[in-house]
């Protein structure tokens, strides 16, 4: 080989790592900020990835995802959001409640943010309006508390109009005051006594359920909170141990053996967030994308659990259910 050819080849070989690094640097990075734990929300990750794929992005191929989980400790969210900002991610998907999005918004005014929340994003200060979010924030929203009247109606119908319904609320959840107020207002409208108990740890959940039983509550409503979803198996087991009919905010509870659930289709909401995230990676501006309002709600009934509790399920309720678990 001639000396000039050898030098040319050597120079080309030296350039290969540079080209590879440049290609790697060009790969967009999505920050995934979640308020709970990865295990119980594995389906959320799958649904989010599905939404991304609908816009042409696949994790590990043409997009990378940096995951940050608060493990139910909401006070960790600001530091986790700041870490993603330092990582200079392309967009932050702030999942499960207003708190992750608020932490992300406090950490950056330039990186786009896509939220998934059951709280009111306008009153929370995340956006200017649903149709015209403005700024660097948009997302998917459903107002979880507007589901409470329907949840109470279903619970009263199946639990034979209990004198007292207990409600489990997490005091660490940013919207806990609003949740408690909505519960009392919905109960008053039905002439139903509601006893709210608070739980922010696994031990608190045990204590709270025992307290409700001692207070004479003969039915239970579990508030919408990622922390409770993460501990769904534990909560369902407690309800079974005390033979107390309960309604939950997510399908996962009914699948785990809970009596019934009524709430938004979380999987679809995460998928929609993935779609918006992909569109932003592709170049669209968050502030120009109207907030998607989740309109898919599902009523899931666990017929086996109802029989175990000695409850007679009217045919009308079975027909009303989107899914009956035998």
């Amino acid at each position: 080989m001639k000396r000039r050819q050898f030098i040319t080849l050597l120079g080309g070989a030296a350039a290969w790592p540079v080209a590879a690094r440049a290609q790697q640097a060009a790969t967009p990075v999505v920050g995934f900020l979640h308020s709970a734990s990865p295990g119980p929300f594995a389906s959320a990750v799958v649904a989010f990835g599905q939404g991304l794929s609908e816009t042409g992005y696949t994790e590990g191929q043409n997009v990378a995802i940096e995951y940050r989980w608060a493990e139910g400790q909401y006070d960790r969210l600001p530091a986790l959001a700041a870490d993603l900002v330092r990582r200079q991610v392309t967009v932050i998907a702030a999942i499960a409640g207003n708190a992750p999005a608020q932490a992300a918004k406090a950490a950056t005014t330039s990186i786009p943010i896509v939220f998934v929340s059951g709280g009111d994003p306008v009153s929370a200060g995340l956006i200017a309006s649903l149709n015209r979010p403005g700024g660097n924030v948009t997302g998917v929203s459903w107002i979880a508390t507007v589901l409470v009247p329907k949840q109470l109606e279903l619970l009263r119908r199946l639990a034979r109009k209990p004198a007292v319904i207990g409600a489990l609320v997490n005091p660490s959840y940013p919207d806990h005051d609003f949740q408690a107020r909505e519960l009392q207002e919905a109960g008053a409208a039905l002439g139903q006594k509601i006893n709210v108990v608070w739980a922010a740890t696994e031990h608190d959940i045990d204590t709270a359920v025992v307290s409700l039983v001692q207070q004479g509550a003969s039915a239970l409503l579990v508030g919408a909170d990622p922390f409770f979803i993460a501990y769904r198996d534990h909560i369902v087991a407690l309800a079974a141990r005390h033979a107390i009919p309960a309604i939950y905010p997510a399908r996962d509870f009914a699948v785990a053996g809970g009596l019934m659930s009524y709430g938004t289709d979380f999987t679809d909401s995460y998928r929609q967030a993935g779609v918006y995230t992909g569109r932003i990676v592709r170049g669209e501006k968050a502030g120009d994308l109207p907030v998607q309002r989740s309109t898919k709600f599902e009523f899931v009934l666990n017929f086996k659990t109802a029989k175990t509790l000695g409850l007679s399920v009217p045919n009308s309720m079975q027909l009303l259910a989107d899914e009956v678990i035998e």
Side-chain angles (χ1 to χ4, degrees):
M1 182 182 295
K2 294 182 179 180
R3 182 173 181 273
R4 181 174 297 176
Q5 290 176 321
F6 176 77
I7 292 173
T8 301
L9 286 172
L10 186 62
W16 292 340
V18 176
R21 285 196 299 270
Q23 184 177 3
Q24 186 177 12
T27 301
V29 179
V30 172
F32 186 93
L33 179 63
H34 200 293
S35 57
S37 308
F41 285 90
S43 60
V45 175
V46 173
F48 181 79
Q50 179 186 344
L52 272 176
S53 68
E54 291 178 24
T55 61
Y57 292 100
T58 301
E59 182 181 7
Q61 294 184 15
N62 57 354
V63 69
I65 302 180
E66 290 277 342
Y67 296 95
R68 300 292 184 273
W69 301 87
E71 309 280 349
Q73 300 175 46
Y74 292 98
D75 57 354
R76 292 183 58 199
L77 287 167
L80 294 174
D83 184 48
L84 289 174
V85 172
R86 284 192 297 271
R87 176 71 175 79
Q88 295 183 337
V89 296
T90 308
V91 56
I92 297 175
I95 310 293
N98 284 334
Q102 289 171 324
K105 186 176 181 180
T108 179
T109 57
S110 57
I111 297 175
I113 298 165
V114 177
F115 63 79
V116 176
S117 174
D120 183 352
V122 177
S123 64
L126 290 174
I127 55 174
S129 71
L130 294 174
N131 291 329
R132 297 178 180 274
N136 62 322
V137 182
T138 189
V140 183
S141 177
W142 69 94
I143 308 301
T145 49
V146 303
L147 304 176
V148 169
K150 184 65 175 180
Q151 290 171 337
L152 286 176
E153 175 194 331
L154 292 168
L155 185 57
R156 280 163 50 85
R157 190 171 172 184
L158 192 53
R160 307 186 189 100
K161 295 184 178 180
V164 180
I165 292 178
L168 190 64
V169 177
N170 179 7
S172 297
Y173 188 60
D175 291 331
H176 67 275
D177 286 336
F178 188 53
Q179 282 188 343
R181 186 170 65 252
E182 287 292 303
L183 283 161
Q184 295 296 355
E185 290 176 357
L190 294 170
Q192 175 68 60
K193 184 176 180 180
I194 306 290
N195 284 3
V196 175
V197 291
W198 307 92
T201 66
E202 184 176 5
H203 179 264
D204 288 349
I205 294 172
D206 294 342
T207 304
V209 173
V210 170
S211 174
L212 283 174
V213 172
Q214 292 173 345
Q215 293 172 30
S218 52
L220 172 67
L221 185 152
V222 175
D225 179 5
F227 170 74
F228 291 147
I229 295 176
Y231 282 93
R232 58 183 176 267
D233 291 334
H234 186 69
I235 296 172
V236 166
L238 282 173
R241 185 184 310 161
H242 294 282
I244 185 168
I247 189 164
Y248 305 94
R251 176 182 179 275
D252 293 339
F253 286 92
V255 172
L259 176 61
M260 57 183 167
S261 66
Y262 181 76
T264 191
D265 184 341
F266 289 105
T267 299
D268 188 62
S269 297
Y270 294 132
R271 183 195 63 79
Q272 291 181 57
V275 170
Y276 258 18
T277 299
R279 289 175 63 178
I280 290 170
V281 170
R282 207 162 52 191
E284 296 186 57
K285 294 183 178 180
D288 294 339
L289 297 173
V291 171
Q292 294 290 313
R293 277 156 283 192
S294 179
T295 57
K296 294 182 67 175
F297 302 103
E298 54 186 359
F299 171 40
V300 182
L301 178 64
N302 192 312
F303 197 69
K304 180 180 178 181
T305 300
K307 288 194 292 186
T308 300
L309 292 170
L311 299 174
S312 177
V313 182
N315 288 333
S316 58
M317 284 195 77
Q318 296 184 48
L319 293 173
L320 184 64
D322 297 285
E323 180 181 356
V324 176
I325 298 173
E326 300 288 349

